Amino acid sequence: ISLEKMANKYEQLSDQIGDSWKAVSGGSDSESIADEPPQSSPHPDELLAICLAVRNQGHDLPEWLQHHYYAMGIRRFYIMDDRSDPPLSTFQDTFGVPEEAVTIVYYDQSQHRSQNMQMYMYDECVTVYGVNNTWLALIDADEFLDAPGEETIEEVLRGFTPLTHIGAVGVSPRMHSSNGHLVPQESVRKAYTECLWDDPEGAGAGTDNSWIK
């Protein structure tokens, strides 16, 4: 759970958009939301939005959404729902954030890609909704962005925005252990507080905390 995956996945998309998802589609005749014109938001001035590729995690979304909306100040979420049963839209009353902040796109079985469905959904999210926001974070439902320093996420991004040669921002992950829990807990943020490795002397060399995503 971390400040994470924004850079790595966004950079992958930079290299693969236009090629990867076409290869993944495998000639399917099912409709793609990317075949439609980009969808404008009623609030196009929002700096940052999150694209979330997810399946069958409706019970995890309230805490995830409330953290990013209220604690991180992010006001736009695009949830790409990969065949959830029941669809994630059935959980919307439990999300605890304004309904207009969340857009849910449901993919049924006929739209499923057998290879790299997650990347396909991220591609579609960027293609269709990317026009609305300067920055898009591409993360999962078990990943929480955080800003532990003096600056907010928005303040950090606004510092990079004028620099046109910067297309992505690297985010350092903080990996957590199970904290000794054997079954899922009610609150992810409260239950999992122990890092896998804290090594100030070795700077995390040779551990999972040595990489940037």
Side-chain angles (χ1 to χ4, degrees), residues 20-155:
S20 66
W21 78 263
K22 292 179 183 177
V24 169
S25 66
S28 171
D29 294 329
S30 59
E31 294 184 0
S32 161
I33 64 166
D35 295 333
E36 304 173 3
Q39 303 295 305
S40 295
S41 164
H43 306 287
D45 58 335
E46 293 165 346
L47 183 73
L48 171 64
I50 296 181
C51 289
L52 177 70
V54 64
R55 185 183 185 196
N56 291 333
Q57 289 184 263
H59 295 293
D60 298 328
L61 289 179
E63 182 178 26
W64 186 92
L65 284 165
Q66 290 169 34
H67 167 79
H68 289 100
Y69 187 91
Y70 295 110
M72 295 295 103
I74 298 170
R75 295 293 184 260
R76 186 66 49 197
F77 305 91
Y78 304 112
I79 297 179
M80 319 305 281
D81 181 0
D82 180 16
R83 302 167 296 144
S84 292
D85 183 17
L88 297 177
S89 57
T90 63
F91 294 89
Q92 192 143 14
D93 289 345
T94 72
F95 288 168
V97 300
E99 185 174 347
E100 61 269 20
V102 181
T103 298
I104 300 177
V105 179
Y106 182 74
Y107 294 82
D108 61 25
Q109 185 60 42
S110 69
Q111 297 167 298
H112 182 66
R113 270 63 180 172
S114 59
Q115 299 178 15
N116 213 347
M117 182 63 181
Q118 183 184 49
M119 184 62 70
Y120 175 80
M121 292 190 293
Y122 281 143
D123 177 25
E124 293 221 309
C125 185
V126 171
T127 300
V128 177
Y129 300 109
V131 65
N132 297 321
N133 308 95
T134 304
W135 299 90
L136 285 173
L138 311 177
I139 62 177
D140 301 332
D142 62 348
E143 298 166 351
F144 290 69
L145 293 174
D146 192 14
E150 296 182 358
E151 294 179 291
T152 65
I153 290 178
E154 181 170 326
E155 288 171 340

Side-chain angles (χ1 to χ4, degrees), residues 168-180:
V169 176
V171 182
S172 299
R174 179 177 295 169
M175 308 297 292
H176 290 260
S177 73
S178 66
N179 268 80

Side-chain angles (χ1 to χ4, degrees), residues 159-197:
F160 288 115
T161 300
L163 306 177
T164 57
H165 62 285
I166 294 180
V169 176
V171 182
S172 299
R174 179 177 295 169
M175 308 297 292
H176 290 260
S177 73
S178 66
N179 268 80
H181 299 300
L182 300 179
V183 297
Q185 300 297 298
E186 182 176 350
S187 170
V188 170
R189 291 171 301 165
K190 292 179 180 179
Y192 304 104
T193 58
E194 179 183 85
C195 289
L196 283 175
W197 189 267

